[in-house]
Amino acid sequence: HQRETYFKTRVAVVVEEKPLSSGGTEETQALHKAAKDKFLAAKGDASKKAPKKGSGYKKEAAFKTAVEEVCAELTGSDDPNLATPTVWDTFVISVSKALFTELMLKVSGPTNDDQKELVISRLLGDDVFYDLKADELKELMERECWKADKMEEWKKENGLSDKKED
């Protein structure tokens, strides 16, 4: 949908052919000239003089079709607005996704087993978490140790409590 909207807008801008002083670009002027040449060749007027300004050729459906054909030849490599994502784009998207995931984890808590294990590993620390056996991890999951109070209880039982009692 976005590509179609962009394409329609580009065709309208190329048909209009604003001069550089009025916001036009060299690219749109080149596309307009290519479409105009194609239009005149198809019309059979290529040998004659180019139409004068105000002759109305821009309003003809055949000219718009020629502009659409010229614009359709553009690909992502020569059109910066249709280019494939770069490493920077990928980095920004992945960081945004990670931040959103962290925010949702804080707001709603863990919702699946992977998130629960992640919270447990953060509460225990990597050294202790990666030393756990499968049955110990299963016990932590059964006791809902992704909740801080339940983890503290489990740590006290196993001599891993961080808090010193008086």
Side-chain angles (χ1 to χ4, degrees), residues 17-126:
E17 188 202 21
K18 286 187 175 181
L20 292 174
S21 61
S22 298
T25 65
E26 292 176 6
E27 180 187 17
T28 57
Q29 288 180 342
L31 291 170
H32 183 89
K33 183 180 181 328
K36 188 176 180 182
D37 292 345
K38 193 173 211 171
F39 167 71
L40 293 175
K43 197 172 181 184
D45 291 345
S47 60
K48 297 180 184 177
K49 287 199 290 183
K52 296 177 185 176
K53 283 200 172 219
S55 66
Y57 73 95
K58 293 179 183 179
K59 295 179 182 177
E60 291 187 32
F63 179 69
K64 186 175 180 183
T65 303
V67 171
E68 288 174 350
E69 289 173 6
V70 168
C71 289
E73 294 171 2
L74 296 175
T75 62
S77 60
D78 52 12
D79 187 347
N81 295 311
L82 300 175
T84 55
T86 62
V87 173
W88 177 249
D89 296 333
T90 306
F91 173 75
V92 170
I93 290 169
S94 63
V95 168
S96 299
K97 185 178 176 184
L99 290 173
F100 179 74
T101 303
E102 284 298 315
L103 178 66
M104 292 309 296
L105 191 60
K106 296 270 186 216
V107 171
S108 63
T111 56
N112 61 38
D113 287 346
D114 291 336
Q115 289 178 343
K116 291 173 184 174
E117 283 184 21
L118 177 66
V119 172
I120 289 172
S121 73
R122 289 179 180 173
L123 291 171
L124 282 175
D126 286 342

